[in-house]
Amino acid sequence: MTSPADLSVVENEAGQALFDDLIAKDSRIEPRDWMPEAYRKTLIRQISQHAHSEIIGMQPESNWITRAPSLKRKAILMAKVQDEAGHGLYLYSAAQTLGITREEMMDQLIEGRARYSSIFNYTTPTWADMGAIGWLVDGAAICNQVPLCRASYGPYGRAMVRICKEESFHQRQGFEILLELMQGTEAQREMAQDAVNRWYWPSLMMFGPPDDQSPNSAQSMAWNIKRFSNDELRQRFVGMLVPQAEVLGVTLPDPALRFNEETGEYDMSEIDWTEFNEVLAGRGPANAERLRRRREAHENGAWVREAAHEYARKQAARAAAEVA
Amino acid sequence: MSDADIDPHGEVTVDRLALADEFAGAGAAGEGAVASADVAEYALRLGDDALVLAQQLGMWIARAPELEEDVALGNIALDLLGHARSLLHYAGTESGRSEDDLAYWRDEPDWRNAWIFEQPNGDFAHTIARQFFVATYLFELYGDLSSSTDPTLAAIAAKSMKEVDYHRDHATQWVLRLAGGTDESRRRMITAVADTWPYVDELFHDDELVERLASDGVAVLPSSLRERFDEIVDQVLAEAEIELPTGRTAFIASGGGRRGRHTEHLGPLLAEMQVLARQHPGASW
């Protein structure tokens, strides 16, 4: 692979012109196309963070696989967590097309040098959290991710198409868990409402800071990576939740929440960004636990990966010897 | 693809909440058929084997040595859970109990799984050794059971056999990789085979129930599978250059898992699996 630094200034200028033209026409940039170094870096950061989020995001839910209260729920939850591993794989592959290896990305994650979605640093003390994660967290993820199916970088956009199809199922199963609980016993209804209370605000924070405080957004929108602003997506999400909350019979924990006929938007209470920043800074309820668990799985599995590698090497050597 | 092509609301509407249909399990085979007491007991044995193993493999998800294995072990666990649900559903028809009644509301002495299924995951090599022996056995079992005179068992077995074929292939490849990989992986694989082997014998033990059912062509006589099992195991272990420990431990004189006598590992496994359901008797999920 030729690094952009090796190209002459003239080639860089030609590349830039071609790139600008593709972006202007809203076409796709493919791995072999010339791209500005900042575009490449932004994408590596965003796609790998997204992949890490899928992998870390397996933990709060795998917590309940062994204790799922019915065999049907156990099957659905297992399938969902397994999907997340699959999403991680597609996304790592998409990032690899930009010139970074999975090992490098994995090292960045377990050494705490890479970010992942802060939402997964919250804990899942009750079964209702499986419902709230599906309904709220996956719901927010869908609002964020559907526009990414059109992201200008081809491998990312295509990975997102596959992922979004499965996320839709994830959200439905979460909604169904909550609906079943809300139609159940008093204890089950309380469990459901408590989970919604705990996950509502963190799910709104998943869209990122308000537009006037989001430094990277403008460039990402100019590059056709990001299509809607954080606040636009947050509004869209709340608009989706309100009627669904009515069907469920749960209360969204914001007394100020109401539709404003004049603005055509939802009025809502101020989001507590101090909490968001605390969790982002590594001081959330489970930051250390999530990383420790990932590191343990990685370290405990090292001998297995080495064995597979060594076996493949010996097989190749044997095959070569037979040919010779 | 434009935004209009995908509904960001995730298709959540109240009348489309039939996720159970997407997970064929209970009722997938033999809807309406009612098992006799003998057949129910036999289905319970097979169902418990599958459920206990699914529960164990589920523990690997998000802990596997590489992402590909999170996916593979998750897949295998899901297949086994599907088999368990079909078998428990059928077993429950005799007494009017649901798959969940059987999974969540029976205590240890009422479980009928063989001991090998309840042995802990251990390291990856132990999980693979258990998978290798069990999948090899199940493949032969379901192959024969697919021509059972009981149409429900035959249908479940035919579906399960195809999936177990993949499980066997997955485990076999890992036995070879670990045995032929590094010194450490070889040492671990040898230990795992030695630790797991004593539990193999119970799988092939005949008793009055299976003899009765086999004479009607309903069940497969476990002992009839032994020769084929040994042939495959010998072949794979020969390629892996691993020798089986001598002597086949027959410590199931107490009756073993088929009669509700279990090792120390089943209790904690059931306690974890059943805890939430038992905190809310009568609740639906």
Side-chain angles (χ1 to χ4, degrees):
Chain A
M1 187 169 150
T2 315
S3 88
D6 298 335
L7 295 169
S8 70
V9 176
V10 178
E11 281 171 323
N12 267 342
E13 280 174 3
Q16 180 77 51
L18 211 60
F19 176 85
D20 290 344
D21 187 48
L22 284 171
I23 294 290
K25 286 195 296 206
D26 205 358
S27 292
R28 286 253 154 104
I29 309 296
E30 295 299 335
R32 287 164 192 280
D33 293 341
W34 185 93
M35 61 188 86
E37 200 52 14
Y39 176 85
R40 184 187 298 276
K41 277 192 182 142
T42 298
L43 279 167
I44 288 179
R45 181 176 53 85
Q46 179 169 339
I47 300 172
S48 63
Q49 281 181 12
H50 192 163
H52 298 330
S53 302
E54 296 283 357
I55 301 313
I56 297 290
M58 294 165 73
Q59 290 184 31
E61 291 178 292
S62 68
N63 178 28
W64 282 94
I65 288 178
T66 54
R67 293 174 294 161
S70 74
L71 297 185
K72 181 183 90 170
R73 291 286 165 218
K74 192 192 285 286
I76 293 173
L77 187 61
M78 253 187 206
K80 179 177 193 276
V81 180
Q82 192 207 19
D83 279 351
E84 285 156 7
H87 295 177
L89 280 173
Y90 311 154
L91 288 162
Y92 284 125
S93 301
Q96 281 170 275
T97 63
L98 291 157
I100 185 168
T101 65
R102 204 208 293 184
E103 290 69 31
E104 285 173 295
M105 290 184 273
M106 206 48 89
D107 286 345
Q108 289 173 354
L109 174 63
I110 62 176
E111 288 163 13
R113 289 185 284 124
R115 289 199 190 284
Y116 54 85
S117 180
S118 282
I119 195 83
F120 301 117
N121 292 320
Y122 290 88
T123 57
T124 51
T126 77
W127 169 253
D129 292 319
M130 299 303 98
I133 287 185
W135 184 47
L136 296 172
V137 176
D138 293 320
I142 289 169
C143 288
N144 265 330
Q145 291 174 358
V146 166
L148 289 175
C149 296
R150 291 197 291 136
S152 57
Y153 188 58
Y156 190 29
R158 287 188 289 272
M160 290 315 304
V161 171
R162 296 178 69 175
I163 290 172
C164 283
K165 284 182 185 155
E166 291 175 347
E167 290 293 348
S168 148
F169 153 71
H170 294 178
Q171 199 206 8
R172 277 195 296 151
Q173 66 84 39
F175 184 87
E176 197 194 61
I177 287 174
L178 292 176
L179 190 63
E180 194 82 44
L181 291 176
M182 289 305 290
Q183 292 171 349
T185 65
E186 185 60 32
Q188 286 179 302
R189 280 196 295 278
E190 278 171 21
M191 195 192 283
Q193 182 63 57
D194 167 66
V196 169
N197 291 348
R198 284 183 288 110
W199 290 93
Y200 177 74
W201 289 108
S203 73
L204 292 190
M205 295 178 202
M206 285 174 68
F207 298 94
D211 294 345
D212 53 8
Q213 295 161 39
S214 180
N216 298 324
S217 287
Q219 180 61 76
S220 282
M221 287 179 86
W223 277 334
N224 295 346
I225 297 174
K226 196 173 165 69
R227 300 281 181 169
F228 299 99
S229 79
N230 295 351
D231 287 330
E232 276 176 311
L233 290 169
R234 198 165 9 242
Q235 277 289 331
R236 187 185 282 202
F237 177 57
V238 171
M240 169 187 112
L241 290 186
V242 168
Q244 292 179 3
E246 276 171 32
V247 173
L248 287 174
V250 296
T251 307
L252 296 176
D254 179 2
L257 183 67
R258 68 175 191 95
F259 189 71
N260 184 326
E261 298 284 351
E262 278 172 37
T263 60
E265 293 195 332
Y266 281 90
D267 293 337
M268 47 183 105
S269 305
E270 191 78 23
I271 293 176
D272 180 6
W273 292 106
T274 333
E275 175 186 316
F276 178 78
N277 289 325
E278 280 293 292
V279 180
L280 202 62
R283 294 185 286 273
N287 295 56
E289 167 71 20
R290 298 288 182 248
L291 269 192
R292 183 166 59 239
R293 165 89 175 271
R294 178 87 305 259
R295 202 178 301 123
E296 269 170 18
H298 191 74
E299 286 167 5
N300 291 341
W303 70 270
V304 177
R305 295 190 301 276
E306 281 158 22
H309 186 264
E310 182 59 13
Y311 180 74
R313 194 194 61 76
K314 285 180 188 168
Q315 292 291 101
R318 202 166 301 157
E322 275 168 24
V323 171
Chain B
M1 175 170 292
S2 74
D3 286 5
D5 295 332
I6 296 176
D7 174 12
H9 293 197
E11 298 168 33
V12 176
T13 56
V14 182
D15 57 350
R16 292 200 53 189
L17 292 174
L19 284 173
D21 297 344
E22 295 173 28
F23 283 85
E31 197 59 69
V34 175
S36 68
D38 272 2
V39 171
E41 177 73 10
Y42 182 63
L44 198 60
R45 291 179 179 186
L46 305 184
D48 285 353
D49 286 351
L51 180 53
V52 168
L53 189 57
Q55 176 75 1
Q56 304 247 49
L57 293 178
M59 296 177 200
W60 272 108
I61 303 177
R63 287 188 175 84
E66 55 190 13
L67 280 178
E68 285 80 352
E69 283 306 302
D70 282 307
V71 175
L73 293 172
N75 237 329
I76 294 169
L78 263 175
D79 287 343
L80 291 164
L81 187 52
H83 309 164
R85 292 180 65 195
S86 298
L87 289 160
L88 293 184
H89 172 79
Y90 190 39
T93 56
E94 187 251 341
S95 54
R97 287 180 289 178
S98 70
E99 59 177 52
D100 286 337
D101 292 338
L102 291 172
Y104 292 94
W105 297 94
R106 277 182 303 149
D107 295 330
E108 253 179 285
D110 296 325
W111 284 71
R112 293 289 177 264
N113 60 284
W115 287 2
I116 193 169
F117 297 95
E118 68 197 42
Q119 295 315 300
N121 285 338
D123 66 2
F124 187 69
H126 281 83
T127 290
I128 289 300
R130 191 183 61 201
Q131 277 306 105
F132 172 59
F133 292 134
V134 156
T136 304
Y137 154 79
L138 287 175
F139 180 74
E140 298 302 330
L141 169 67
Y142 287 142
D144 284 7
L145 195 61
S146 63
S147 40
S148 166
T149 52
D150 181 303
T152 305
L153 288 178
I156 296 171
K159 176 179 179 290
S160 306
M161 185 183 73
K162 291 179 200 140
E163 294 171 343
V164 169
D165 192 20
Y166 160 73
H167 305 176
R168 190 176 67 153
D169 186 48
H170 170 265
T172 301
Q173 287 190 34
W174 272 114
V175 168
L176 296 176
R177 276 195 206 107
L178 296 181
T182 62
D183 290 346
E184 181 184 8
S185 69
R186 179 167 179 78
R187 177 179 59 73
R188 286 179 186 255
M189 196 65 239
I190 290 170
T191 306
V193 165
D195 289 348
T196 312
W197 183 249
Y199 298 96
V200 165
D201 227 30
E202 185 187 5
L203 297 172
F204 302 98
H205 182 73
D206 297 340
D207 65 5
E208 281 178 20
L209 176 81
V210 283
E211 279 165 2
R212 248 189 339 263
L213 288 171
S215 69
D216 293 336
V218 171
V220 174
L221 214 50
S223 60
S224 70
L225 305 168
R226 184 76 208 223
E227 203 173 314
R228 281 174 281 163
F229 172 88
D230 282 340
E231 200 177 312
I232 295 167
V233 166
D234 288 347
Q235 208 179 332
V236 173
L237 293 186
E239 193 178 335
E241 297 175 19
I242 290 181
E243 277 179 36
L244 281 173
T246 46
R248 283 172 182 149
T249 319
F251 49 65
I252 51 159
S254 68
R258 304 299 187 207
R259 286 166 68 184
R261 305 246 167 88
H262 290 281
T263 63
E264 292 174 349
H265 305 294
L266 185 64
L269 180 143
L270 294 182
E272 184 175 4
M273 185 170 83
Q274 298 173 335
V275 63
L276 177 60
R278 289 191 177 205
Q279 281 166 356
H280 300 267
S284 129
W285 302 93

